[in-house]
Amino acid sequence: MTTIRRVLAVLAGTGLVGSVLCAGAASAATQGKIYISNNCGKAVSTTIHRTDGSMIAGTGAAPAGSYFGYPVNPGTYQVRVPAGNRNVRILDLGGKAHSVIVKAC
């Protein structure tokens, strides 16, 4: 397990919903990630939407205890999980990846 995955697993396991900064190589197309942590104890539906409502990622049955990450460009997104809709913002940090973790329940 990589160090980044360990950090994300710990943050998700402790129930923290927030931002994680990870150093990345500078590029014109820097993307962040939206991670969804399924801490519900059962499979649940999770989706990520643009502000216009169009779905860009999701699953009908994310397994219990899982988390998945989806690369996105800087901007605002809506994450729809059983705990309710969460608006998240991915920042452009000049060559560093900005990631957000959202708990499903």
Side-chain angles (χ1 to χ4, degrees):
M1 182 179 279
T2 67
T3 301
I4 293 172
R5 284 188 177 258
R6 279 189 208 117
V7 168
L8 292 173
V10 168
L11 289 173
T14 60
L16 295 177
V17 178
S19 300
V20 179
L21 299 178
C22 305
S27 74
T30 298
Q31 289 189 316
K33 268 196 173 177
I34 297 174
Y35 288 93
I36 300 176
S37 170
N38 179 1
N39 56 339
C40 302
K42 62 181 178 179
V44 295
S45 174
T46 60
T47 57
I48 300 171
H49 298 260
R50 291 187 180 94
T51 53
D52 68 5
S54 61
M55 187 172 86
I56 59 172
T59 179
S66 68
Y67 71 92
F68 76 91
Y70 188 78
V72 293
N73 292 321
T76 302
Y77 299 87
Q78 184 178 69
V79 180
R80 297 178 186 173
V81 294
N85 297 345
R86 304 281 193 251
N87 291 326
V88 297
R89 188 167 181 200
I90 301 299
L91 304 174
D92 181 357
L93 300 173
K96 294 185 180 177
H98 176 233
S99 299
V100 175
I101 301 170
V102 177
K103 286 176 48 176
C105 291

